[in-house]
């Protein structure tokens, strides 16, 4: 599915926040720049959850709720607001047949990984300079590393490591001879 344009999402979240605040019977919604900043923070948090492959429902599992018991009332109220806005947003995505850009990126990584596992490309594939350990990207990097002509170049890898450390890493970069 297509991804929602980021500015549209940001502005729509700014509309959903007051709606959710009213539904929760909470405080008066922020206005102007404060509302836009809050919407931006919500969007960033939503993206982080998507990138890390954490479903919003997982935030409300018992182990998380138990951890929240010692938190301030403000943090608990903010969590409830986030969950309410997230639910409204997810319903809107479903109704429009769209997804968040971070979710689409994960799907594209997974699609490429599946495709290359089934039919490895004839050309070399090199992944270089990747610093994220996001689950979907990590799966893709693993597939790239296992391709017949694939390589993953780690940034800032210490080339002066002792031989036993290199032995632990495996034979990456070794020739066919």
């Amino acid at each position: 599915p297509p991804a929602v344009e980021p500015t549209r999402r940001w502005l729509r979240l700014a509309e959903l926040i007051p709606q959710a605040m009213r539904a929760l019977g909470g405080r008066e919604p922020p206005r102007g720049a404060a509302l836009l900043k809050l919407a931006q923070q919500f969007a960033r948090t939503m993206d982080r959850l998507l990138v890390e492959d954490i479903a919003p429902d997982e935030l409300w599992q018992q182990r998380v709720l138990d951890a929240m018991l010692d938190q301030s009332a403000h943090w608990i109220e903010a969590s409830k607001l986030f969950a309410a806005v997230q639910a409204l947003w997810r319903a809107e995505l479903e109704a429009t047949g769209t997804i968040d850009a971070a979710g689409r990126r994960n799907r594209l990584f997974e699609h490429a990984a599946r495709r290359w596992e089934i039919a490895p490309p004839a050309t070399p594939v090199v992944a270089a300079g990747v610093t994220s350990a996001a689950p979907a990207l990590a799966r893709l990097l693993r597939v790239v590393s296992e391709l017949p002509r694939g390589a993953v170049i780690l940034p800032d890898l210490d080339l002066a490591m002792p031989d036993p450390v290199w032995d632990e890493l495996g034979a990456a970069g070794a020739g066919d001879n």
Side-chain angles (χ1 to χ4, degrees):
V4 173
E5 198 278 320
T7 303
R8 181 195 173 288
R9 178 178 78 156
W10 171 49
L11 295 174
R12 184 64 182 129
L13 288 173
E15 293 173 341
L16 294 176
I17 290 170
Q19 181 181 336
M21 289 179 95
R22 283 190 281 283
L24 291 172
R27 56 185 163 70
E28 186 65 25
R31 303 171 101 190
L35 177 59
L36 292 174
K37 183 175 182 178
L38 183 59
Q40 185 178 42
Q41 291 169 341
F42 273 40
R44 203 172 309 133
T45 302
M46 290 163 55
D47 285 344
R48 193 75 244 157
L49 290 170
L50 286 166
V51 165
E52 295 300 331
D53 202 19
I54 299 171
D57 300 341
E58 291 180 48
L59 295 176
W60 301 102
Q61 291 179 352
Q62 193 58 48
R63 63 183 172 82
V64 177
L65 294 174
D66 290 344
M68 286 179 21
L69 290 176
D70 296 336
Q71 302 300 318
S72 69
H74 171 75
W75 191 88
I76 293 171
E77 290 306 310
S79 298
K80 288 179 184 176
L81 176 60
F82 179 78
V85 171
Q86 181 77 355
L88 292 169
W89 178 242
R90 288 174 66 187
E92 188 164 316
L93 288 176
E94 189 172 316
T96 60
T98 56
I99 59 176
D100 286 307
R104 187 168 197 277
R105 188 196 86 167
N106 286 348
R107 289 184 184 192
L108 291 171
F109 285 158
E110 290 164 3
H111 175 75
R114 280 192 310 272
R115 221 172 117 202
W116 287 346
E117 281 177 324
I118 294 167
T123 58
V125 176
V126 178
V130 178
T131 57
S132 171
L137 181 56
R139 285 190 293 274
L140 177 61
L141 292 176
R142 180 177 186 140
V143 169
V144 168
S145 74
E146 294 171 348
L147 291 173
R149 300 187 68 195
V152 175
I153 311 299
L154 301 174
D156 298 323
L157 184 63
D158 182 3
L159 298 177
M161 289 188 291
D163 287 340
V165 177
W166 280 110
D167 292 342
E168 287 295 317
L169 287 175
D176 293 330
N177 32 345

